[in-house]
């Protein structure tokens, strides 16, 4: 099974992709110290138990599932517990869950005593191919997503594709949206392979997507340029996510990214991306009010005055990053968004 290396000098780390990796966790993480496992109630308890049962000094925090847990309140709760449990610089935090748990526990590990060892055991497809790797940790604050956080690389990422067996189909599809994002912008060979319907085992999909992420992050760890390619579909996607959050049927992050990618692509690339999205039952259109969409676009933290940086794909395997006005972005969305 592959072991990939995220090469970031002294912050380098291994990414283990291995079916059944959780069963040999003690060989992968030094557990002879205080270990705080952070998870949520939606993640089957057996995954945390496999780790806790191998720890010399195990501690567990189980939170409510969902984005609401990426809050200052839960962040401070984790820090408070670490103090109460007597954690010091030699101890570690292990996240067992999706991107919510990884971002939150990672931020707590990054800031407790100026940083203690952090291990990520991602359990959603999205977190396995995207959020667990690259060192972005954050919480949401004052209505802004990921507004407080830090770049803090994990010591190791352990990906066990077997845990995806319990993941809901809709959540799995969200991970596929991020995989399609990486292939569409950066890896034509993998996109073509997936497009031509060749059966690709999930572990191969994960490995191929992570190779893209590793390449991008190793060239631009702090997102000063190239790393912005990973935002393909995310400018409009985040706006749709905010608007849909206030409706009776909110869309999931990956679903919003799917629609956002279609808005920002053109030509044959757009048709091919659409075909793949439909194959995974991801949405390819969305209806909302123009006013609400423009108002959330204007609040995008990446926006400079009335323009926003967007990633465009007109040819599979390549991309352009350009500054666009809100009006131009809205006009790019024609045929994908129905604006009332
Ligand atoms: N740090 C980064 O670079 C980065 C990148 C992309 C996204 N993110 C963040 O990731 C978050 C989204 O992550 P997500 O999509 O993984 O969602 P999530 O963490 O909310 O998990 C989705 C749901 O799946 C459940 N779940 C997790 N693993 C499961 C399993 N194996 N079986 C059954 N249920 C399981 C969880 O309980 C939860 O209800 C967002 O907060 C986003 O901002 C961060
Ligand atoms: Zn995303």
């Amino acid at each position: 099974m592959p072991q990939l290396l995220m090469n970031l000098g002294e912050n380098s780390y291994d990414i283990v992709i291995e079916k059944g990796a959780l069963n040999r966790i003690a060989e992968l993480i030094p557990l002879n110290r205080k270990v705080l496992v952070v998870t949520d109630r939606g993640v089957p308890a057996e995954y945390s138990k496999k780790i806790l049962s191998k720890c010399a000094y195990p501690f567990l925090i189980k939170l409510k599932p969902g984005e609401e847990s990426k809050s200052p309140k839960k962040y401070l709760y984790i820090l408070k517990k670490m103090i109460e449990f007597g954690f010091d610089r030699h101890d570690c935090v292990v996240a067992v869950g999706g991107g919510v748990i990884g971002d939150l526990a990672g931020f707590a590990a990054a800031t407790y005593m100026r940083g203690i060892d952090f291990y990520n055991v991602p359990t959603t497809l999205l977190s396995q191919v995207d959020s667990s790797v690259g060192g972005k940790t954050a919480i949401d604050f004052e209505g802004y997503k990921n507004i407080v956080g830090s770049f803090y690389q994990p010591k190791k990422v352990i990906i066990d594709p077997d845990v995806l067996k319990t993941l809901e189909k809709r959540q799995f599809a969200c991970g596929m949206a991020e995989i399609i994002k990486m292939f569409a912008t950066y890896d034509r060979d993998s996109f073509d392979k997936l497009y031509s319907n060749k059966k690709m085992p999930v572990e191969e999909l994960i490995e191929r997507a992570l190779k893209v992420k590793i390449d991008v992050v190793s060239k631009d760890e702090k997102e000063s340029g190239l790393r912005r390619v990973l935002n393909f579909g995310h400018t409009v996607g985040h706006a749709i996510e905010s608007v849909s959050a206030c409706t009776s049927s909110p869309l999931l992050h990956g679903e919003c990214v799917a629609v956002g990618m279609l808005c920002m692509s053109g030509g044959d690339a757009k048709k091919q991306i659409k075909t793949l999205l439909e194959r995974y039952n991801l949405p390819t259109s969305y209806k909302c009010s123009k006013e609400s969409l423009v108002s959330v676009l204007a609040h995008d933290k990446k926006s400079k005055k009335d323009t926003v940086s967007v990633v465009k794909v007109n040819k599979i395997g390549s991309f352009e990053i350009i500054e666009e006005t809100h009006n131009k972005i809205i006009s790019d969305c024609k045929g994908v968004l129905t604006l009332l």
Side-chain angles (χ1 to χ4, degrees), residues 40-44 47 65-67 70 97-103 122-127 130-138 140 145-146 163-168 171 174 178 181 213 227 234 238 241 253-254:
D40 72 48
R41 289 189 193 94
V43 181
Y47 306 148
E67 186 73 23
K70 253 174 75 172
V100 164
I101 291 300
D103 282 11
T123 61
T124 61
L125 183 60
L126 185 142
S127 58
D130 199 349
S131 62
S132 62
V133 166
K136 278 190 181 178
T137 72
D140 308 331
K145 247 187 94 123
N146 301 324
V163 303
L164 300 175
K165 285 179 189 149
T166 53
L167 192 66
E168 277 179 18
Q171 292 287 355
C174 285
E178 303 283 5
K181 167 193 84 177
K213 179 119 193 198
R227 189 165 176 172
H234 281 62
H238 281 147
E241 206 172 347
H253 174 77

Side-chain angles (χ1 to χ4, degrees), residues 22-203:
L22 270 179
N23 298 322
R24 62 176 200 95
I25 199 77
E27 295 162 47
L28 300 168
I29 303 181
L31 296 172
N32 191 19
R33 51 183 162 168
K34 286 183 184 166
V35 176
L36 175 64
V37 170
V38 183
T39 189
D40 72 48
R41 289 189 193 94
V43 181
E46 62 190 284
Y47 306 148
S48 319
K49 280 187 190 149
K50 280 187 183 178
I51 301 173
L52 291 162
S53 66
K54 301 279 165 47
C55 299
Y57 309 98
F59 296 89
L60 173 69
I61 290 182
K62 216 182 234 192
L63 301 169
K64 203 174 145 198
E67 186 73 23
E68 314 86 85
S69 283
K70 253 174 75 172
S71 64
K73 193 173 160 203
K74 294 292 156 60
Y75 162 70
L76 293 174
Y77 174 75
I78 294 174
L79 297 183
K80 199 171 150 224
K81 286 289 171 191
M82 283 200 269
I83 293 172
E84 204 177 297
F85 299 151
F87 268 56
D88 70 24
R89 282 226 175 85
H90 307 100
D91 300 322
C92 72
V93 174
V94 182
V96 182
V100 164
I101 291 300
D103 282 11
L104 171 71
F107 185 51
T111 46
Y112 185 75
M113 299 184 93
R114 299 195 183 84
I116 66 168
D117 286 358
F118 174 58
Y119 295 86
N120 208 333
V121 181
T123 61
T124 61
L125 183 60
L126 185 142
S127 58
Q128 293 190 342
V129 297
D130 199 349
S131 62
S132 62
V133 166
K136 278 190 181 178
T137 72
I139 52 171
D140 308 331
F141 185 50
E142 294 285 307
Y144 291 95
K145 247 187 94 123
N146 301 324
I147 195 84
V148 177
S150 70
F151 285 98
Y152 190 69
Q153 302 295 340
K155 281 276 168 249
K156 195 178 272 185
V157 178
I158 293 130
I159 297 173
D160 183 347
D162 280 348
V163 303
L164 300 175
K165 285 179 189 149
T166 53
L167 192 66
E168 277 179 18
K169 274 206 172 101
R170 210 176 147 197
Q171 292 287 355
F172 187 89
C174 285
M176 285 308 306
E178 303 283 5
I179 290 174
I180 293 166
K181 167 193 84 177
M182 301 204 217
F183 292 172
T185 48
Y186 214 79
D187 182 357
R188 191 186 177 127
D189 176 57
S190 296
F191 189 96
D192 288 348
K193 194 168 177 196
L194 188 62
Y195 189 78
S196 62
N197 222 343
K198 287 195 190 125
K199 280 239 178 291
M200 225 196 271
V202 72
E203 49 275 32

Side-chain angles (χ1 to χ4, degrees), residues 299-327:
H299 279 93
D300 189 307
K301 69 178 186 295
K302 289 180 287 302
S303 80
K304 290 184 197 141
K305 296 176 196 150
D306 66 334
T307 64
V308 183
S309 171
V310 290
V311 183
K312 297 261 185 163
V313 172
N314 291 309
K315 195 166 161 268
I316 293 299
S318 68
F319 63 91
E320 258 187 302
I321 300 177
I322 53 176
E323 285 289 316
E324 282 195 344
T325 62
H326 300 136
N327 280 340

